[in-house]
Amino acid sequence: MILYDPGVKGYHTPLTREQIAELFYAGCVDRHHPCKPTAKSEWRTVDELFPLLKYDSASRLAPSIDDSRRLPVWPLVAGASVILVAAISYLYVSSWQEQAHVIRAIESSPLPQPYGSSAATTAPVVALQQSSAEADQTTNEMLRERARFEQEHLNREQLQRQQAALADRRRAENDEASAKARRAEGRDVLCPLDQTIVVNVGGSSMTVKIHDNDVTTFDAWINGRRMHEVQKQKGISHSRTDETLVYQSGRASLYYVWEISGELNHCLLRVREE
């Protein structure tokens, strides 16, 4: 049996997969919570180790409700469709019944006398045409209302997708800006004078040694290569005018900083990523 460490305070570990699933369904851990097998040292997330939990959680959102008392969605949709079809059928049946009633009235009426008025004959026909037109108008209005509802639903879904995409793009831009700001601040290295130390510059390790000649110059050894009497830049602190370049690669640069290091017989170096 594989046991896991969920990294949750207050719980006895290790736990089995079933116990972690119960914590997930109870809301005690989420998809992004750290978790790892006890036999391994690498931490991963609950979602990476148990990707199917998020699909099973939908059926456990309301465990206290009896499944037999739940009202499925599909009967409601089917009922609404039946009601709509019944309403349309009722309108058409009513129209045809009225038309049949008018036809029977026409058939039972006496024939018009020669040279008489035609108003008695044309009146039922006009009434029949008006009734049929009203039924068609009602049906068209119902169809237009349904089409308008579906279009509004599509518009809302599209707006939600656009807002989610915009939020992701802004989050990525903020992360990139934060990373650039951290790189611009640089990384300070406290270097003892006249001693060789190893400094990581742009992912590459190099040996650095600094000898302070006086207040104006210093000597530097970079990977054993000596730089004689390098002039110190004496600008304003944290304005980059107080930094003297001693090494530069395609990815980062190393500077001697005209600033009090805070320790005796030490100088301050600064690594800046490009």
Side-chain angles (χ1 to χ4, degrees), residues 83-99 131-143:
I83 292 173
L84 179 60
V85 173
I88 297 175
S89 301
Y90 174 76
L91 291 175
Y92 275 104
V93 170
S94 299
S95 175
W96 285 111
Q97 287 178 348
E98 186 174 354
Q99 292 177 9
S131 177
S132 178
E134 291 175 357
D136 293 340
Q137 183 179 2
T138 302
T139 303
N140 292 334
E141 289 178 356
M142 295 177 64
L143 293 176

Side-chain angles (χ1 to χ4, degrees), residues 68 190 267:
S68 62
L190 196 62
C267 67

Side-chain angles (χ1 to χ4, degrees), residues 5-6 30 33 38 95 189 210 223:
D5 184 3
D30 55 25
H33 205 92
T38 55
S95 175
V189 178
I210 301 295
N223 288 335

Side-chain angles (χ1 to χ4, degrees), residues 103-245:
I103 292 173
R104 286 195 298 269
I106 294 173
E107 291 176 348
S108 61
S109 62
L111 294 175
Q113 298 297 325
Y115 308 103
S117 174
S118 62
T121 304
T122 57
V125 177
V126 173
L128 178 62
Q129 294 176 349
Q130 291 178 350
S131 177
S132 178
E134 291 175 357
D136 293 340
Q137 183 179 2
T138 302
T139 303
N140 292 334
E141 289 178 356
M142 295 177 64
L143 293 176
R144 285 196 297 268
E145 184 67 18
R146 182 176 180 179
R148 184 185 63 81
F149 176 78
E150 293 178 351
Q151 185 63 40
E152 290 179 353
H153 181 69
L154 293 176
N155 292 339
R156 285 194 298 270
E157 289 184 346
Q158 183 178 3
L159 179 60
Q160 291 175 355
R161 289 193 296 269
Q162 292 175 350
Q163 291 176 345
L166 179 60
D168 292 341
R169 185 169 64 254
R170 288 181 176 176
R171 189 181 302 109
E173 292 174 353
N174 292 335
D175 293 342
E176 184 178 358
S178 299
K180 288 183 179 180
R182 288 193 298 269
R183 290 195 299 269
E185 291 176 357
R187 173 172 54 87
D188 291 345
V189 178
L190 196 62
C191 177
L193 295 175
D194 301 317
Q195 295 185 25
T196 300
I197 65 172
V198 178
V199 180
N200 188 321
V201 181
S204 301
S205 298
M206 59 179 52
T207 59
V208 179
K209 177 181 176 181
I210 301 295
H211 174 76
D212 201 356
N213 297 327
D214 48 37
V215 296
T216 60
T217 63
F218 65 91
D219 290 351
W221 286 261
I222 308 297
N223 288 335
R225 180 175 174 272
R226 183 175 182 179
M227 302 170 61
H228 293 277
E229 296 184 354
V230 181
Q231 294 292 325
K232 297 180 180 179
Q233 301 295 327
K234 302 178 182 180
I236 301 174
S237 298
H238 302 290
S239 65
R240 304 193 66 169
T241 59
D242 60 342
E243 299 175 355
T244 303
L245 180 64

Side-chain angles (χ1 to χ4, degrees), residues 24-25 54 56-65 70:
F24 181 84
Y25 298 141
K54 58 178 175 290
D56 297 337
S57 61
S59 61
R60 299 174 176 258
L61 291 179
S64 61
I65 301 177
R70 294 178 180 171

